[in-house]
Amino acid sequence: MAMIKIMETDTKEAPKREYKLLPEGGYEVYVDRVDLPEKVGDIEKTSIMFRVRDDVEGEHANRTVFTNISTANNMGWKLSTIARAAGIKAGTDFANLADYAMAIKGKALKIMVGHREYNGKTYIDAKAFYPTRLAPYSKTEEPELDII
């Protein structure tokens, strides 16, 4: 007898949701996710997802902002600025982007968000990264789900 049986279901198209840009300004965030780095030639690249903190007052809790990073020579300023804002000491070395990602994951910082135009669309852009003056972020406990 099979442990899992996939049943036929009716699928409905998900309702379209209106997407509103996160307003420009400063936001207290934490590094929620760093994608697995991919290698293109000698350069590693990945994307960081910052999530607006839900443990501080503000209208935009849990909204996300993405930024791309790489080990290209012109990205050193961004890697350093994000790391320093996340509390990583100056002079710290990382063997690769995966180690860097592990060091910043979950860390709190403040980012400045702006908007940029590209091909007729407006996108959210992380313009600057600063150390937070708030306590470190601690994820609120999610209730355990009873899975049957």
Side-chain angles (χ1 to χ4, degrees):
M1 183 170 155
M3 289 185 79
I4 299 172
K5 182 178 181 177
I6 308 300
M7 300 168 62
E8 197 169 315
T9 59
D10 290 332
T11 57
K12 296 179 182 175
E13 192 171 311
K16 298 206 181 223
R17 294 179 9 191
E18 187 176 322
Y19 174 76
K20 292 185 180 178
L21 286 175
L22 187 63
E24 293 181 311
Y27 294 93
E28 294 289 340
V29 300
Y30 65 96
V31 178
D32 188 28
R33 187 180 81 215
V34 183
D35 293 337
L36 285 174
E38 66 179 63
K39 199 156 183 145
V40 179
D42 291 339
I43 296 173
E44 289 182 292
K45 63 181 186 172
T46 191
S47 179
I48 299 173
M49 182 175 81
F50 299 103
R51 185 172 297 276
V52 177
R53 292 174 62 163
D54 60 1
D55 63 338
V56 296
E57 280 192 40
E59 296 178 36
H60 304 287
N62 293 313
R63 294 285 305 270
T64 56
V65 178
F66 291 87
T67 195
N68 295 319
I69 58 172
S70 78
T71 56
N73 290 337
N74 64 345
M75 278 286 190
W77 70 271
K78 194 173 192 180
L79 293 169
S80 292
T81 305
I82 293 170
R84 296 289 294 131
I88 307 298
K89 292 183 179 177
T92 302
D93 291 328
F94 297 100
N96 52 45
L97 211 48
D99 290 349
Y100 175 89
M102 291 299 296
I104 65 169
K105 187 164 178 4
K107 302 287 187 185
L109 58 147
K110 184 173 184 173
I111 63 172
M112 293 302 292
V113 169
H115 294 162
R116 65 180 166 83
E117 298 287 328
Y118 182 72
N119 285 341
K121 291 186 179 181
T122 304
Y123 296 92
I124 298 170
D125 200 17
K127 299 281 189 186
F129 311 90
Y130 303 100
T132 184
R133 294 182 180 186
L134 303 177
Y137 178 74
S138 65
K139 205 171 204 172
T140 53
E141 290 293 319
E142 294 181 16
E144 277 193 39
L145 301 175
D146 290 333
I147 299 176
I148 299 175

